[in-house]
Amino acid sequence: MTTFLKAGIAAVVLAAGAPVALAAGDGPEIKKSSWNFGGIFGHFDEAQLQRGFLVYKEVCASCHGLKRVNFRNLVQKGGPMFPEESVKELAASWPNKVFDGPNDNGDIADRKGNIIKRPAKLSDPILGPYDNDQQARAAQNGALPPDLSLIARSRNVEYKGTVAYHPLSMARDIATGYQEGGADYIKALMTGYADQPPAYARNKAGQLVEVADKDVKDEKAVERCASISRGDAGAPDVCNKLQDGQYYNKYFPGGQIAMPSPLASPVAYQPNSGATSSIEQNAQDVAAFLSWTADPTLSERKSLGLGVLLYMLVTCVLLYIAKKRTWRAAH
Amino acid sequence: MSGHESTYVAKSRFAKFMDDRLPIARMMHGQFVDFPTPRNLNYMWTFGGILMFCLVTQLVTGIVLAMHYVPSAKDAFDSVEAIRRDVNYGWLIRNIHAVGASMFFLAVYLHIFRGLYYGSYKAPREVLWILGVFIYLAMMATAFLGYTLVWGQMSFWGATVITNFFSAIPVVGTKVTEWLWGGYAVTGVTLNRFFALHYLLPFVITGLVVLHIWALHVAGQNNPTGLDVKSKMDTLPMTPYAVMKDIFALAVFVTLFVWFVFFVPDYLGHADNYNEANALVTPPHIVPEWYFLPFYAILRAVPSKLGGVLLMFAAVAILAFVSWLDTSRVRSTKYRPIYRWFFWLFTFTCLALGYLGSKPAEGWYVVWSQIFTAYYFLHFLVVMPVVGLIETPKKLPRSIAESVLGANYGGGAGAMAGATAAPEKR
């Protein structure tokens, strides 16, 4: 196993072309936000999903696809519920067209060598700008912008508290129905960029100690580290510097990410959109939208769940009474 | 099956016709209606019925999922997503099946620990207990195979780690592993055979469950006092008494099940499994589902790979021998003043190993894993035989009936007499 794992890890390192700081334990704790689709009464807010889609369209869509979401889903109940006509227009004008070959002659490209494509319809997926992963990597300096359909479900926040409190924290998350770790992570990631990594000064023991930016008098006296690898058994700590083409984000594992800050300036909202535009609000809305793309049946699930739960609770009470009555004769 | 005679009376002509040719109604009546059950069974005895419910739920939802699932490396992950998004109520069926696996294990662990606490493995229930261990093993295999089918990152890397266990076998290990894989790594070929086996094993479990219930109905149920049934006063007919209790407990269990299915379906899984399998990207932490974590901690507590694998398998296998490792004169831990403490220490050990299994194998986590692994085995190999020999059990009640009804139960309580007369009334 170990050789296989090592081979796997080596492959990752080669693919990424950078040292891997994958320890997911890195980084500060991510705060839980309040989501209107959280908890047992939660459901998606159409206006928020519409704003979130706008952020996706204006910002994310320039690199990322949503291949598991079809345009028709944008019309459906439980989602952003855009009017069907406007989604039809949106699909037709979506810049990333759908592969439409081979044609009647068996060609997959036209005479100029361009792949045959047609505008999207309601039944087509929301595609990103790249035809395949290789093309994406070639355009993105070797990095692959992941498809965002499931991003909110494939990410989570990590517990950072003490061991003793951990079981209680788990019990609380179960009892409150907390499952918005992915949305919390996305929002944190969107707002976790900084111009440069934090400064560290090395003490006599060789450990790196963080220095607040305002206390940095001489840039040469400190090291800027995207992450720290603590030295084992008295060895000095290692400062993982920001690599070329990487950006510092304190919430991304390893502290450096190939994606530049997507919300450097806020996406403007229409006056009737239900919220005022800000980077924070954009992040919140796009995280909500991506939570919907990852879990489009959430609203239906929770509302049906409430009914089933209520039914079961009443059933439990009735069965308890019936059980008591049955046993009354025996004991 | 058991010495108990069915009091079934065929009433209609059809019933009489059938009773002379295939007396299945007579057998079912004898085994599940007027079957004598100890009258002092507590709610820990309701998990047998709950587990039956879990098995049927997994079978039904699983068969429906199999109608929509595509077992190929290229399509497996997409087909699971299509079930969640495009199949009518596919999200519900899928959640029930995924959460159902966890609920199945939750129930089976409570069932096993109940057996351990009340000494349900002791004579004459050794075969019954060993069949239970086989069911547990088959469940573990089924759950592992099923988790692979999702073909997410954890599925793929979990399958890689688990199948690699076999490569620890000296000399033939690599050959065996390649034979399991159907190639030189976990691929779509592996996925396809795992799908076939995942569909097969639940029926093996069903067969084992039939034997398990058969063996149960020969020896009769154990009970919180651990005493044998001595008279009719000690038992009540299964229907309506035990059945009513089982149904209520099942409803409470289903309510918990519903909570997870509808409100926190992802809580028991790992987020990384929503990333499609990728042989080139190793997840930062490869962890199994929660129900395997204690064994994972034992595996990683040992520095040698072969040693870890052997110890992990031994951790399950040792359960099959408890009937002979336990030297106690009494069955129930309730009457064992010394062993009781060790029982709870053992329970804590299992939970601690579960926690450690979820942590990276580094630093103090490894040390604690080693300490708890040591106790896990000491409990079976030293505590069970030794404490049974040196301990003086507390005074046992004279009978099962006395334990619930008090010493004077014979003293003509009207309601009592009516209840015990119930079986004869039929």
Side-chain angles (χ1 to χ4, degrees):
Chain A
M1 184 194 88
T2 33
T3 46
F4 197 88
L5 278 187
K6 275 181 194 153
I9 290 165
V12 181
V13 175
L14 288 174
V20 181
L22 278 173
D26 296 350
E29 182 165 12
I30 291 173
K31 285 203 195 76
K32 289 179 183 175
S33 294
S34 164
W35 302 100
N36 45 26
F37 54 89
I40 66 168
F41 302 104
H43 56 84
F44 286 118
D45 171 34
E46 282 164 43
Q48 182 170 46
L49 294 187
Q50 295 192 358
R51 295 194 301 271
F53 176 73
L54 181 72
V55 176
Y56 167 76
K57 186 170 82 117
E58 298 295 324
V59 181
C60 319
S62 56
C63 298
H64 299 273
L66 279 177
K67 65 177 178 185
R68 296 178 200 282
V69 181
N70 298 322
F71 284 99
R72 65 179 163 83
N73 297 127
L74 296 171
V75 181
Q76 281 168 359
K77 205 163 166 278
M81 289 178 74
F82 286 110
E84 187 167 332
E85 282 312 307
S86 72
V87 176
K88 268 186 187 158
E89 284 168 29
L90 175 83
S93 63
W94 195 253
N96 312 319
K97 309 257 183 277
V98 181
F99 176 60
D100 198 29
N103 66 8
D104 292 345
N105 297 326
D107 299 329
I108 57 168
D110 63 18
R111 286 200 190 134
K112 287 178 193 156
N114 295 319
I115 287 174
I116 300 169
K117 290 182 173 179
R118 61 163 171 78
K121 293 184 284 199
L122 278 181
S123 55
D124 287 316
I126 302 176
L127 295 178
Y130 305 114
D131 288 336
N132 49 58
D133 290 357
Q134 288 80 349
Q135 193 185 63
R137 283 190 194 279
Q140 294 288 343
N141 197 18
L144 176 66
D147 183 86
L148 295 183
S149 315
L150 275 170
I151 204 82
R153 262 188 151 171
S154 63
R155 300 292 185 276
N156 208 345
V157 294
E158 201 166 320
Y159 175 76
K160 306 263 183 185
T162 61
V163 175
Y165 185 67
H166 202 169
L168 279 172
S169 162
M170 286 195 267
R172 193 191 57 196
D173 286 349
I174 293 170
T176 56
Y178 172 74
Q179 200 174 264
E180 291 75 51
D184 284 333
Y185 172 79
I186 293 167
K187 187 183 171 188
L189 189 77
M190 292 297 103
T191 53
Y193 284 88
D195 292 340
Q196 54 181 352
Y200 291 86
R202 205 175 278 278
N203 66 15
K204 279 182 189 141
Q207 290 165 320
L208 290 163
V209 183
E210 192 169 345
V211 183
D213 269 343
K214 63 180 168 52
D215 297 332
V216 177
K217 306 236 161 40
D218 177 14
E219 234 358 271
K220 287 193 181 115
V222 294
E223 294 178 73
R224 296 274 171 185
C225 315
S227 68
I228 304 284
S229 302
R230 293 285 172 208
D232 281 338
D237 292 347
V238 177
C239 171
N240 302 312
K241 289 204 157 52
L242 199 62
Q243 305 280 313
D244 279 349
Q246 301 280 311
Y247 301 86
Y248 176 69
N249 187 315
K250 61 181 169 180
Y251 295 114
F252 192 72
Q256 36 193 328
I257 183 168
M259 173 172 72
S261 177
L263 297 174
S265 61
V267 176
Y269 289 153
Q270 295 289 324
N272 59 353
S273 68
T276 325
S277 175
S278 67
I279 288 172
E280 177 94 357
Q281 188 63 41
N282 285 171
Q284 178 99 6
D285 292 343
V286 81
F289 174 71
L290 292 175
S291 299
W292 169 75
T293 64
D295 197 1
T297 53
L298 180 144
S299 296
E300 184 190 5
R301 167 160 66 78
K302 291 193 176 180
S303 66
L304 180 61
L306 275 182
V308 176
L309 186 67
L310 198 67
Y311 177 89
M312 282 315 301
L313 289 173
V314 172
T315 306
C316 283
V317 171
L318 292 177
L319 284 171
Y320 183 70
I321 294 168
K323 185 257 162 193
K324 275 280 173 204
R325 290 189 140 210
T326 308
W327 279 79
R328 199 161 55 193
H331 288 170
Chain B
M1 277 185 171
S2 68
H4 166 71
E5 276 293 321
S6 178
T7 56
Y8 176 73
V9 181
K11 291 200 184 90
S12 68
R13 282 185 63 187
F14 175 72
K16 286 190 182 112
F17 173 86
M18 282 304 288
D19 200 35
D20 291 338
R21 288 159 181 81
L22 183 68
I24 194 162
R26 176 172 297 279
M27 186 194 82
M28 295 306 279
H29 187 90
Q31 296 302 319
F32 301 103
V33 178
D34 61 15
F35 188 78
T37 53
R39 65 188 312 147
N40 61 339
L41 296 185
N42 61 30
Y43 278 105
M44 288 307 289
W45 262 267
T46 57
F47 286 99
I50 286 170
L51 284 162
M52 197 68 201
F53 168 83
C54 288
L55 178 60
V56 172
T57 305
Q58 292 303 86
L59 280 167
V60 172
T61 52
I63 289 167
V64 176
L65 288 174
M67 295 173 189
H68 300 280
Y69 175 75
V70 186
S72 84
K74 188 171 148 284
D75 299 317
F77 190 84
D78 290 344
S79 74
V80 173
E81 275 308 304
I83 289 169
R84 286 186 48 226
R85 287 159 194 269
D86 297 331
V87 174
N88 289 331
Y89 289 98
W91 59 269
L92 179 58
I93 297 163
R94 202 240 136 147
N95 281 0
I96 293 174
H97 197 71
V99 170
S102 280
M103 300 310 282
F104 206 157
F105 274 94
L106 175 69
V108 92
Y109 282 133
L110 290 166
H111 193 64
I112 291 170
F113 275 83
R114 187 269 291 156
L116 287 173
Y117 186 83
Y118 293 110
S120 301
Y121 46 83
K122 291 177 79 71
R125 298 185 184 83
E126 301 95 325
V127 173
L128 168 61
W129 175 265
I130 290 169
L131 281 166
V133 175
F134 285 154
I135 294 172
Y136 176 47
L137 258 177
M139 274 175 66
M140 290 170 95
T142 311
F144 158 68
L145 294 168
Y147 192 63
T148 306
L149 302 188
V150 182
W151 210 240
Q153 272 290 66
M154 273 310 162
S155 298
F156 179 86
W157 289 98
T160 301
V161 170
I162 306 274
T163 48
N164 257 306
F165 289 164
F166 296 94
S167 70
I169 304 169
V171 188
V172 293
T174 312
K175 283 281 164 226
V176 170
T177 314
E178 285 171 2
W179 176 72
L180 287 172
W181 284 339
Y184 300 104
V186 175
T187 61
V189 178
T190 323
L191 174 65
N192 215 325
R193 59 184 59 186
F194 277 18
F195 178 58
L197 293 173
H198 183 69
Y199 207 105
L200 167 71
L201 277 183
F203 297 100
V204 174
I205 294 178
T206 308
L208 286 168
V209 166
V210 170
L211 295 180
H212 191 65
I213 296 172
W214 185 356
L216 172 72
H217 281 222
V218 171
Q221 280 156 304
N222 186 27
N223 65 86
T225 61
L227 295 170
D228 289 326
V229 171
K230 286 168 191 151
S231 72
K232 275 214 150 118
M233 282 300 286
D234 287 344
T235 63
L236 290 168
M238 181 165 168
T239 307
Y241 296 99
V243 167
M244 201 55 231
K245 200 165 182 167
D246 279 354
I247 292 175
F248 167 62
L250 176 63
V252 173
F253 183 82
V254 170
T255 308
L256 180 71
F257 201 140
V258 162
W259 184 270
F260 277 100
V261 165
F262 288 98
F263 302 121
V264 270
D266 290 344
Y267 187 85
L268 298 163
H270 199 290
D272 218 356
N273 221 30
Y274 279 105
N275 289 316
E276 191 169 357
N278 185 343
L280 296 178
V281 178
T282 318
H285 293 166
I286 302 174
V287 282
E289 293 288 86
W290 68 269
Y291 37 82
F292 293 141
L293 288 174
F295 300 106
Y296 196 51
I298 291 173
L299 170 80
R300 298 186 307 172
V302 186
S304 114
K305 179 177 169 185
L306 180 61
V309 171
L310 286 177
L311 214 59
M312 192 187 63
F313 282 114
V316 185
I318 204 164
L319 284 170
F321 298 94
V322 291
S323 307
W324 296 278
L325 289 168
D326 183 358
T327 53
S328 170
R329 277 170 288 161
V330 300
R331 292 199 185 100
S332 174
T333 304
K334 214 172 149 185
Y335 303 101
R336 301 185 59 187
I338 302 176
Y339 182 73
R340 177 187 291 190
W341 293 99
F342 286 104
F343 174 83
W344 290 113
L345 178 60
F346 176 72
T347 307
F348 179 77
T349 297
C350 293
L351 294 173
L353 282 171
Y355 183 79
L356 292 164
S358 74
K359 292 289 161 190
E362 59 193 29
W364 281 101
Y365 293 132
V366 178
V367 179
W368 280 110
S369 297
Q370 288 167 345
I371 292 169
F372 284 116
T373 300
Y375 183 70
Y376 183 94
F377 286 99
L378 279 178
H379 182 84
F380 290 109
L381 297 173
V382 178
V383 173
M384 272 195 162
V386 173
V387 173
L389 292 175
I390 59 170
E391 176 182 58
T392 314
K394 288 202 237 171
K395 190 169 174 295
L396 294 164
R398 272 180 302 164
S399 70
I400 292 169
E402 189 194 287
S403 75
V404 265
L405 302 171
N408 306 317
Y409 68 86
M416 256 303 308
T420 43
E424 283 79 23
K425 264 188 200 163
R426 227 175 284 274

